[in-house]
Amino acid sequence: MSFFKNTFGYFLAAVIINGFWGVFINKFGNFGAYGAAFFLTGSMWYINHYIGLIKHDKDSAFIDMGLGIAISLVTKGYIINGVNSVISSIPTFICVAIGATLGGYVAVLIEKNVIEANSKKENFKIIETELRD
């Protein structure tokens, strides 16, 4: 059941963001893009992740709604413009893959540092308590 619930969350994000992003840009120009990023992406993140439409267990892989949005954009481009739109987006895919890899690596480094800092705090508290006794 959670597969279908998660899929609906990705689908909802893709439809809302891809459907209304252009409206924001056509109405407000470049500032509309910032507004769309804040309001559309923010509201979809709130519904999917904070409220919990997309549920991630501790032992499951985390796939953000950006993947669903990207797949829907590529599919939309393919349907409207054919294979040429997919081929012309290959450099963008490469840049996104590099950015995602670097972002994931940095996130792991930060998480390791946070865990290490918390364990040092715990060890310090234990030593401090032992010294008092």
Side-chain angles (χ1 to χ4, degrees), residues 7-75:
T7 304
F8 178 72
Y10 295 130
F11 174 77
L12 180 67
V15 168
I16 296 294
I17 292 173
N18 292 334
F20 292 103
W21 196 283
V23 174
F24 276 73
I25 291 175
N26 290 338
K27 190 82 168 165
F28 303 109
N30 288 339
F31 292 111
Y34 290 111
F38 181 76
F39 291 112
L40 296 177
T41 307
S43 61
M44 286 297 95
W45 185 92
Y46 179 78
I47 290 169
N48 285 334
H49 296 297
Y50 189 77
I51 291 178
L53 187 59
I54 296 175
K55 182 173 179 346
H56 292 286
D57 298 326
K58 289 184 178 184
D59 60 343
S60 68
F62 183 82
I63 300 173
D64 197 23
M65 61 187 195
L67 180 63
I69 294 166
I71 290 171
S72 69
L73 278 173
V74 169
T75 305

Side-chain angles (χ1 to χ4, degrees), residues 55-128:
K55 182 173 179 346
H56 292 286
D57 298 326
K58 289 184 178 184
D59 60 343
S60 68
F62 183 82
I63 300 173
D64 197 23
M65 61 187 195
L67 180 63
I69 294 166
I71 290 171
S72 69
L73 278 173
V74 169
T75 305
K76 177 183 172 186
Y78 175 74
I79 291 171
I80 293 173
N81 301 320
V83 174
N84 291 334
S85 67
V86 176
I87 292 171
S88 66
S89 9
I90 289 176
T92 303
F93 290 142
I94 292 169
C95 290
V96 167
I98 291 169
T101 303
L102 290 174
Y105 180 72
V106 169
V108 167
L109 291 178
I110 290 171
E111 188 173 343
K112 282 183 180 179
N113 286 336
V114 168
I115 290 171
E116 185 178 307
N118 287 340
S119 68
K120 285 181 181 179
K121 280 183 186 178
E122 287 297 318
N123 289 340
F124 183 73
K125 287 178 184 177
I126 292 169
I127 292 171
E128 186 179 83

